[in-house]
């Protein structure tokens, strides 16, 4: 595995390259993780794929050239994001590729698929959070007054403790998710990253009809993977969308939300070569 930067006019994008196969897989990790998350796929698939695992915005070593509150509030459009990835692919000499995205990364992956399906062979979406965006987060990200309140609340250690406790009591998150989120927001830097992710990425939301049309037009094979015990993103979320896709499957794993683990490579291999 090697570590690299792609310096774009918007961002200094950090990524890892692993595997040495002739095919390409672009990897978008989950919240609080990093570009190494899918490195578990290297042993089983590294001879057939070269993987590019990005540190997503406000994660690890990737940084905007301007990380001011004003820039965060401006956000990034779907066109801007796809231009970034296209520029990256030109830099790396990549033409066609597969895409895998987990949880937060599903937003990145599906926006890319909506706009660039003509270049995609297979799309793997794990715990597809793009199918279930909480109304409260929509309000916090898109309403000016609500966003200011959100910033004041979540940049405060006491405020985030209260907010997570309320979410747990209301059943928005379960006990395990409460513990994970508490750790992921334990410091001022981590709390800013959460605020920035919600706010900066508010435009990275696909229009399902456009995504479906694009995937069908270009015959992209799609795989939606769910954890059987994942209460945040239950498997029925994808049913309506899958029914409208020409080449799509839903797979339920014996996992909870944390499904990117040692069991995943065999399942991905099976889906790639048995479908």
């Amino acid at each position: 595995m090697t570590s690299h930067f792609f310096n774009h006019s918007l961002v200094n994008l950090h990524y890892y390259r692993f595997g040495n196969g002739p095919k390409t897989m672009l990897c978008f990790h989950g919240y609080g993780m990093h570009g190494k998350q899918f490195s578990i796929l290297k042993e089983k698939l590294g001879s057939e794929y070269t993987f590019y695992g990005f540190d997503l915005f406000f994660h690890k070593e990737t940084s905007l050239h301007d990380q001011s509150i004003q820039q965060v509030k401006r956000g990034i459009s779907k066109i801007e994001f796809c231009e970034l990835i296209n520029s990256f692919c030109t830099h790396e000499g990549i033409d066609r590729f597969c895409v895998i995205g987990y949880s937060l990364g599903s937003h990145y992956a599906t926006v890319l698929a909506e706009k660039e399906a003509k270049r995609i062979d297979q799309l793997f979406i794990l715990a597809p959070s793009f199918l279930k965006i909480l109304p409260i987060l929509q309000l916090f990200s898109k309403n000016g007054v609500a966003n200011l309140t959100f910033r004041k609340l979540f940049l405060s250690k006491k405020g985030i403790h209260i907010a997570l406790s309320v979410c747990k009591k209301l059943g928005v998150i379960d006990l395990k998710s409460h513990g994970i989120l508490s750790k992921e927001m334990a410091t001022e830097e981590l709390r800013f990253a959460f605020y920035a992710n919600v706010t900066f990425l508010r435009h990275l939301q696909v229009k399902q009809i456009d995504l479906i049309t694009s995937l069908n037009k270009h015959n992209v094979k799609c795989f939606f993977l769910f954890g059987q015990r994942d209460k945040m993103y239950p498997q029925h979320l994808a049913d309506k969308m899958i029914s409208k896709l020409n080449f799509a499957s839903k797979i339920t794993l014996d996992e909870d939300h944390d499904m990117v683990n040692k069991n995943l490579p065999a399942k991905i291999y099976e889906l790639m070569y048995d479908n």
Side-chain angles (χ1 to χ4, degrees):
M1 179 185 296
T2 54
S3 172
H4 309 268
F5 283 95
F6 173 59
N7 195 10
H8 182 267
S9 59
L10 174 68
V11 61
N12 198 21
L13 180 66
H14 182 254
Y15 64 98
Y16 297 92
R17 185 191 295 123
F18 46 97
N20 55 9
K23 301 177 185 178
T24 296
M25 177 80 77
L26 305 183
C27 309
F28 300 95
H29 63 73
Y31 181 77
M33 299 303 295
H34 45 67
K36 292 181 180 180
Q37 187 172 35
F38 287 104
S39 62
I40 56 172
L41 300 178
K42 177 184 176 181
E43 183 175 354
K44 194 161 187 70
L45 294 163
S47 63
E48 297 181 58
Y49 285 83
T50 298
F51 296 88
Y52 296 87
F54 305 103
D55 284 349
L56 302 183
F57 296 118
F58 311 106
H59 283 77
K60 296 299 179 180
E61 296 188 59
T62 287
S63 60
L64 300 178
H65 293 305
D66 176 7
Q67 292 209 150
S68 67
I69 292 294
Q70 286 305 115
Q71 181 69 7
V72 169
K73 288 167 65 177
R74 189 188 76 82
I76 184 171
S77 70
K78 292 190 285 189
I79 291 174
E80 287 173 318
F81 171 67
C82 290
E83 189 280 324
L84 167 64
I85 298 301
N86 284 333
S87 295
F88 170 81
C89 288
T90 298
H91 172 74
E92 289 288 341
I94 297 169
D95 181 18
R96 299 191 61 80
F97 47 82
C98 297
V99 179
I100 188 167
Y102 164 62
S103 197
L104 171 66
S106 72
H107 295 267
Y108 292 79
T110 52
V111 164
L112 186 60
E114 179 187 330
K115 300 296 185 183
E116 297 293 332
K118 61 184 178 291
R119 303 180 69 179
I120 299 174
D121 294 315
Q122 293 175 311
L123 175 66
F124 297 87
I125 301 296
L126 289 65
S129 63
F130 83 97
L131 290 173
K132 181 184 175 183
I133 303 174
L134 296 176
I136 188 66
L137 293 183
Q138 293 273 45
L139 177 66
F140 281 157
S141 66
K142 296 187 175 182
N143 179 279
V145 174
N147 185 262
L148 176 61
T149 302
F150 174 51
R151 175 156 50 97
K152 297 292 186 183
L153 178 67
F154 273 68
L155 296 188
S156 159
K157 186 175 182 179
K158 183 177 181 180
I160 193 66
H161 175 74
I162 294 171
L164 290 176
S165 295
V166 169
C167 287
K168 185 177 70 173
K169 288 180 180 179
L170 293 176
V172 175
I173 58 176
D174 57 22
L175 182 60
K176 183 174 182 178
S177 298
H178 178 272
I180 292 171
L181 289 171
S182 294
K183 291 180 180 178
E184 290 179 346
M185 299 183 203
T187 67
E188 183 177 353
E189 181 181 5
L190 290 173
R191 291 191 294 275
F192 173 79
F194 181 78
Y195 164 77
N197 271 281
V198 171
T199 303
F200 189 72
L201 303 179
R202 67 189 181 278
H203 303 305
L204 289 192
Q205 296 179 11
V206 297
K207 293 182 179 179
Q208 285 197 31
I209 185 61
D210 291 343
L211 176 61
I212 291 167
T213 300
S214 188
L215 292 171
N216 284 341
K217 178 180 178 180
H218 297 285
N219 300 317
V220 179
K221 288 187 176 181
C222 307
F223 304 95
F224 293 81
L225 285 77
F226 290 86
Q228 186 174 5
R229 299 182 300 280
D230 186 353
K231 295 181 180 180
M232 289 192 291
Y233 303 108
Q235 56 186 292
H236 68 80
L237 289 176
D239 290 348
K240 185 175 180 180
M241 185 173 180
I242 287 176
S243 69
K244 298 178 181 179
L245 289 169
N246 295 337
F247 304 96
S249 302
K250 182 177 72 174
I251 300 92
T252 303
L253 305 180
D254 184 19
E255 305 285 355
D256 53 26
H257 184 68
D258 185 18
M259 66 176 70
V260 185
N261 55 39
K262 64 181 182 179
N263 301 320
L264 184 65
K267 176 54 67 174
I268 295 296
Y269 184 90
E270 174 186 333
L271 293 174
M272 281 182 167
Y273 298 106
D274 290 353
N275 289 273

